[in-house]
Amino acid sequence: MAGVLALSACGTSATDEDATRAELTGLELDLLTRSGTFTRTNVDLANAESKLISACMKAKGFRYRAEVSAPTTESDEELSLNRAERHERGYGLASQYDSEKDAVGKGTNDAYVAGLSKKNADAYAEALRGGATDFREMRLGGGRNITFSARGCEARSRTSLYGSLDDWVSVSYFPQNLNSELGPRVEKSPKYRRAMAEWRTCMRGKGYTYASPDAAYDQLKAAYRARGVTAASRDREIAVAVADGDCAAEVHVPSTVLALRRAYAQSLPTADKLQLRRLTAIWKTAADKVR
């Protein structure tokens, strides 16, 4: 591995006084909680990155089909619940434990690579992500490390958008890591506990007695591990996931959680607020480039 970096709040001209005096802005909270303007901005950036990778790979003699997604009009709560997906796949657990493997090369680019000789497929992989010695690691804190390649068309495209790979990986992962640290505070909140009590009442009305959505997920997962995947277990998973989503929508669990996260973020440590402020500026600059 070529190098290991530790992410810190260095590299900003803001002072500690600035961070403690001013509240985090709406844009900073959007990046932190992946809500509000985040979804549209994330789609724009992902589309731009895919197009850059496609052009880079073409210059190296390979075909790469850019994946372009349309922005969604769904609300944060609708996106969080993803009820259409629940009706089709439940929590997506069955596919993880199904003994039948998915066919190789379903995606357009995967199908292209599957048709190459081993020599050309290896060259394609190196053009896209570099070689085995090109990977680096960044430590985000809390025991979480991110590994990424410093070479290849993916790295070049991300550097073009964000200015450096360090900034790309920081924007992509540091806010998520920080947001996850707010979880315990959210779960202790009286508002959250009331919402979950209402969720349990709703679920009992549908015939389920799970303590929480996580408990439902974990119990279904344990059943798959113990007994494998059957038609009945798939049906059970979908039924529970749909009921969970319907009850969460009825009592607005996702909206409650999001409001609490955005509120608690204002009391984050100074160093974290400074880093989030710096990364939001980088994120906005990258988004402005592609619009």
Side-chain angles (χ1 to χ4, degrees), residues 223-250:
Y224 279 132
R225 277 201 302 262
R227 296 183 288 277
V229 178
T230 65
S233 62
R234 276 197 190 94
D235 290 345
R236 168 78 177 187
E237 179 192 345
I238 290 172
V240 172
V242 169
D244 169 13
D246 289 346
C247 287
E250 183 177 318

Side-chain angles (χ1 to χ4, degrees), residues 5-12 138-141 167 170 174 271-272 274-276 278-279:
L5 298 174
L7 181 59
S8 70
C10 299
T12 176
M138 179 176 281
R139 296 171 181 163
L140 294 178
D167 284 342
S170 298
F174 177 78
D272 290 337
L274 286 169
Q275 179 71 330
L276 182 62
R278 186 181 77 84
L279 296 178

Side-chain angles (χ1 to χ4, degrees), residues 8-189:
S8 70
C10 299
T12 176
S13 60
T15 65
D16 288 359
E17 184 181 357
D18 291 332
T20 55
R21 180 178 66 245
E23 290 192 342
L24 292 171
T25 66
L27 196 62
E28 290 160 357
L29 292 170
D30 288 351
L31 178 59
L32 174 67
T33 60
R34 302 173 74 86
S35 63
T37 62
F38 175 86
T39 302
R40 174 59 186 264
T41 301
N42 197 47
V43 168
D44 290 343
L45 286 168
N47 288 345
E49 180 182 313
S50 190
K51 290 176 182 177
L52 287 169
I53 292 172
S54 178
C56 177
M57 291 295 284
K58 183 177 179 181
K60 291 177 180 289
F62 296 103
R63 194 195 78 189
Y64 184 96
R65 185 74 56 84
E67 298 178 2
V68 179
S69 302
T72 182
T73 58
E74 291 184 302
S75 67
D76 289 323
E77 182 157 273
E78 289 168 337
L79 286 169
S80 175
L81 293 173
N82 199 1
R83 293 164 84 178
E85 182 77 1
R86 289 171 187 263
H87 279 274
E88 183 179 346
R89 300 178 63 246
Y91 295 112
L93 281 168
S95 60
Q96 298 177 34
Y97 291 92
D98 200 335
S99 59
E100 297 179 7
K101 302 300 181 183
D102 292 337
V104 175
K106 283 186 177 179
T108 303
N109 294 319
D110 290 338
Y112 168 68
V113 175
L116 297 175
S117 66
K118 184 180 185 307
K119 179 180 178 181
N120 287 338
D122 289 345
Y124 176 99
E126 185 166 354
L128 183 63
R129 297 193 178 98
T133 61
D134 295 322
F135 284 82
R136 300 167 60 197
E137 185 176 86
M138 179 176 281
R139 296 171 181 163
L140 294 178
R144 188 181 185 193
N145 299 334
I146 301 298
T147 302
F148 58 99
S149 179
R151 293 188 63 188
C153 287
E154 282 187 349
R156 181 179 298 180
S157 300
R158 290 161 180 168
T159 300
S160 175
L161 287 173
Y162 294 89
S164 74
L165 278 176
D166 291 349
D167 284 342
W168 163 74
V169 76
S170 298
V171 168
S172 299
Y173 295 102
F174 177 78
Q176 289 186 58
N177 201 54
L178 197 59
N179 190 34
S180 69
E181 293 175 5
L182 296 172
R185 292 188 65 187
V186 170
E187 291 171 5
K188 292 176 183 177
S189 164

